[in-house]
Amino acid sequence: MGHCHKWGQKFIDFGFRLTAARECIFEILLKTDAHLSAEDIYMAIHKINPAIGLTTIYRTLELLEQNGIVRKFEFGHGRAKYELNEEYEGKKHHHHLICEKCHKIVDYSEFVKEEKEYIKKAENGLEKKYGFSIKDHLIDFYGICPDCKKE
Amino acid sequence: MGHCHKWGQKFIDFGFRLTAARECIFEILLKTDAHLSAEDIYMAIHKINPAIGLTTIYRTLELLEQNGIVRKFEFGHGRAKYELNEEYEGKKHHHHLICEKCHKIVDYSEFVKEEKEYIKKAENGLEKKYGFSIKDHLIDFYGICPDCKKE
DNA sequence: TTAATAATGAAAATGGTTTTCATTTTCGTT
DNA sequence: AACGAAAATGAAAACCATTTTCATTATTAA
């Protein structure tokens, strides 16, 4: 369990406690390919351990986010979605393709080379010009998915 | 008033009515450089015409968004922000630089050439591979602004 | 074992946004 | 100018994801 050990250790190093609820939430995020909302995680966890409440999910997700273990996405249709940070996931660096009709989210990992070039240039330039220390970026594409085009 | 005419005509063409409230909301969006929330607009409009309610602001913004006249951004700190679409604004194509501490938003228009190349490649590829019709994209950078770095 | 501290669940509160509904405004037609 | 259908509106209530409160339980270090 290389993954678990790594994240668990990090969690303890940060000064937090590695509780059953927290491990469970991490596991759920690790096992899924989807972009889960707090409630999605609550549903999943409820089957395993019905004692864990929604509040704990929210609190854990916030903690994980603040420590760079998960990323929170607000795609803008009610609920926020959470994803394990790439460094904790098997997944490659990816971005999102979002259907404006059905709100489906597709991950893609193409054009990383081209993206990296552009991002590097932009980051350096922006750091210089605006004095920001840039930590992260977000790239999303919006459109209509094949299923919705049919209708 | 080239701007106004253009948007007003479009609005009527869509089959909507060009009311005082709607014109006023458009004007406020046109005059500002900031990213306004529904409540920001409400505050601004209240000085001009106190009869206009917050509900109308929300309804108008939704209408404008659905017809491609404004863009809605959910940067993820409570309230959504609205911006006039570039085609209605004097502004250049731009993206956002967001401070993770104070949530300040800086617009930037640099690296458009590099961006365009990358976007074009990505869009074409993604349309082919995933069958999406891509309509739009979002690029944001996150970091710490100069002011927040001082502390 | 024992304090001190952190984590938790349930319930209540929060707050931006949406819905409801009764009223008013607009616009094409007389 | 007046009429009637459809659209737009404001106020208040409802919504609903998320946060906060608070009393209880679990964990850790001594």
Side-chain angles (χ1 to χ4, degrees), chain A residues 97 108 111 141, chain B residues 122-131 134:
Chain A
L97 202 48
Y108 71 89
F111 314 103
F141 285 92
Chain B
E123 278 191 2
N124 288 341
L126 295 172
E127 295 208 337
K128 235 171 246 159
K129 173 147 185 189
Y130 297 100
I134 295 177

Side-chain angles (χ1 to χ4, degrees), chain B residues 29-80:
Chain B
L29 286 169
L30 190 65
K31 289 206 182 90
T32 188
D33 275 338
H35 308 79
L36 302 180
S37 66
E39 194 151 352
D40 292 334
I41 296 171
Y42 178 66
M43 299 304 201
I45 221 168
H46 204 261
K47 290 176 203 156
I48 303 163
N49 183 347
I52 298 169
L54 186 54
T55 311
T56 297
I57 315 281
Y58 276 108
R59 278 191 284 228
T60 301
L61 288 170
E62 196 192 350
L63 205 59
L64 291 170
E65 194 209 351
Q66 285 175 350
N67 291 284
I69 297 168
V70 315
R71 289 192 71 181
K72 180 180 184 181
F73 294 93
E74 316 225 8
F75 292 118
H77 307 104
R79 18 172 88 74

Side-chain angles (χ1 to χ4, degrees), chain A residues 17 19 22 51-53 56 59:
Chain A
R17 292 174 182 175
T19 65
R22 287 167 175 184
I52 297 169
T56 297
R59 277 191 285 229

